[in-house]
Amino acid sequence: MKGAIFNNIENTSNEQQIFAQQNPYALLINLRGTVYATQGTMVAYRGNVDFDRKGAGISRLAKSALTGEGLPLMKISGEGDVFLANNAQLVHIIELENDELTIASRNVLAFTDGIDWDIGVIKGGVVGFASGGLFNTNLKGTGSIAITSMGTPIVIPVQDGAPAYSDVNSIIAWTAGLSVAIKSSFKAKSLLGMGSGESFQMAFNGQGYIIVQPGEFLMPNR
């Protein structure tokens, strides 16, 4: 049997890495223990692998009730090869070294055991409009995380005295040390963004980076 499709065989060149890029749209997990992933993102696996629902814990449940949303995680444990993807979105692997990254929860794909996660609530803004109507997830510690994006993302530096702004439907993530607020531009609602008719932007101040995708997850009308 021949065909170019068989050139896309499993990546075996990075067996020592827990997270490896299978292709631009799929994550390969070389599983030897436990990782966590967003429910519904497993597309294939082989080996002795167990999938279980991951509870949020009391404090996270309280925040989830406040925001009206939750991060549906599954615990993946065992030994084998697991492939994750999310609607053919691009997959990006980031290594945290005692770092912290805040991610729009819709863009979280997976993270390794040892990474601590929590629900973030933006203070001084419009809770519920942040990140396309979804709450944000704070990941911190040392390990690997995998996020997704609609198209190739843009990484924008933020410096003291030079804030950066992003459409709430396009923001993917931002680094620790940035202060965040929500602002609205009712006069520019037909010019900025393509979303709900009311243009909400996220304003970032401080020192760090924001990651923005060149597309929008549209909010429902409110």
Side-chain angles (χ1 to χ4, degrees):
M1 187 176 297
K2 296 181 179 180
I5 192 171
F6 291 102
N7 295 332
N8 299 311
I9 197 165
E10 178 180 348
N11 178 10
T12 59
S13 61
N14 297 292
E15 293 289 331
Q16 75 283 0
Q17 299 177 4
I18 300 176
F19 285 1
Q21 201 92 38
Q22 172 59 34
N23 60 46
Y25 314 102
L27 176 71
L28 166 61
I29 301 176
N30 295 304
L31 186 66
R32 296 179 297 274
T34 299
V35 300
Y36 299 93
T38 297
Q39 293 177 21
T41 58
M42 187 278 293
V43 295
Y45 74 93
R46 65 178 184 180
N48 184 20
V49 180
D50 182 66
F51 300 86
D52 193 16
R53 183 182 181 90
K54 170 65 175 174
I58 298 298
S59 64
R60 299 188 190 106
L61 283 175
K63 294 179 184 178
S64 179
L66 174 65
T67 58
E69 296 288 346
L71 178 62
L73 286 179
M74 58 182 175
K75 178 181 179 181
I76 307 174
S77 56
E79 186 172 345
D81 301 320
V82 181
F83 299 87
L84 303 182
N86 189 2
N87 294 319
Q89 295 179 45
L90 292 176
V91 173
H92 314 276
I93 300 172
I94 300 174
E95 301 296 332
L96 297 186
E97 297 178 339
N98 196 26
D99 298 315
E100 181 176 351
L101 189 66
T102 300
I103 307 168
S105 297
R106 66 195 172 212
N107 297 99
V108 175
L109 184 62
F111 52 91
T112 55
D113 195 20
I115 296 289
D116 187 34
W117 70 281
D118 199 1
I119 295 169
V121 179
I122 297 176
K123 298 179 180 179
V126 182
V127 175
F129 283 102
S131 294
L134 300 177
F135 68 89
N136 303 300
T137 300
N138 297 324
L139 298 179
K140 63 180 179 179
T142 298
S144 301
I145 65 176
I147 65 175
T148 60
S149 70
M150 180 189 299
T152 303
I154 308 161
V155 178
I156 303 173
V158 182
Q159 298 178 345
D160 290 322
Y165 303 88
S166 172
D167 187 284
V168 296
N169 296 303
S170 297
I171 188 71
I172 295 176
W174 60 92
T175 55
L178 293 179
S179 62
V180 189
I182 303 294
K183 61 174 293 187
S184 60
S185 299
F186 295 100
K187 292 182 180 179
K189 66 182 180 181
S190 62
L191 303 176
L192 301 179
M194 298 159 46
S196 65
E198 293 179 337
S199 294
F200 289 89
Q201 294 94 51
M202 299 179 72
F204 298 90
N205 286 275
Q207 195 81 22
Y209 297 90
I210 64 172
I211 305 174
V212 180
Q213 62 188 3
E216 293 186 333
F217 287 100
L218 300 185
M219 294 189 299
N221 290 328
R222 293 181 182 268

